[in-house]
Amino acid sequence: QVQLVESGGGLVQAGGSLRLSCAASTRTFSSYALEWFRQTPGKEREFVAGISWSGGNTYYADSVKGRFTISRDNAKNTVYLQMNSLKPEDTAVYYCNAGGVPSIPTRGPYWGQGTQVTVSS
């Protein structure tokens, strides 16, 4: 069982930055690929970014490529999502996910509770 807890969401103006964190409670954190998804009301949850277990490979949705950066610190059991040049359309609840295949992408069985990101115009 993997428990994930996101933090770092909030309200920011367009063009601003936020960094999301996702802390995992598992001894096997370094064996999991990790992903970020986001969801707005009435829409499907969509893939945002993913990172391999080693951190050597990263993957991004076209809509965030060049603006968002995913990284991980296996010593701290934490994955990050640095979000720059934020746009109002980035407004969503952001979820951390573990155990999927980010190169496809597919979602794994473990989810965090989500953190709200709101970008004002």
Side-chain angles (χ1 to χ4, degrees):
Q1 187 73 13
V2 178
Q3 292 186 323
L4 303 169
V5 179
E6 300 98 335
S7 60
L11 174 64
V12 64
Q13 287 190 330
S17 298
L18 281 175
R19 188 175 84 153
L20 305 184
S21 299
C22 173
S25 61
T26 174
R27 293 185 193 178
T28 57
F29 177 81
S30 62
S31 68
Y32 287 96
L34 298 161
E35 296 166 270
W36 287 95
F37 288 77
R38 66 187 182 187
Q39 189 171 25
T40 53
K43 291 192 176 181
E44 294 275 328
R45 196 169 292 189
E46 65 173 2
F47 172 80
V48 175
I51 189 165
S52 61
W53 63 270
S54 67
N57 293 294
T58 56
Y59 309 89
Y60 298 94
D62 288 343
S63 59
V64 307
K65 210 170 284 185
R67 300 188 297 121
F68 290 11
T69 302
I70 189 171
S71 61
R72 66 189 295 163
D73 185 338
N74 286 344
K76 295 183 178 180
N77 279 17
T78 302
V79 61
Y80 304 98
L81 186 67
Q82 177 67 43
M83 305 186 295
N84 298 330
S85 302
L86 282 161
K87 304 175 181 179
E89 51 264 43
D90 294 318
T91 295
V93 178
Y94 284 71
Y95 296 91
C96 182
N97 179 268
V101 183
S103 59
I104 298 177
T106 66
R107 52 194 70 183
Y110 305 110
W111 292 96
Q113 82 288 353
T115 186
Q116 176 70 47
V117 171
T118 303
V119 184
S120 64
S121 56

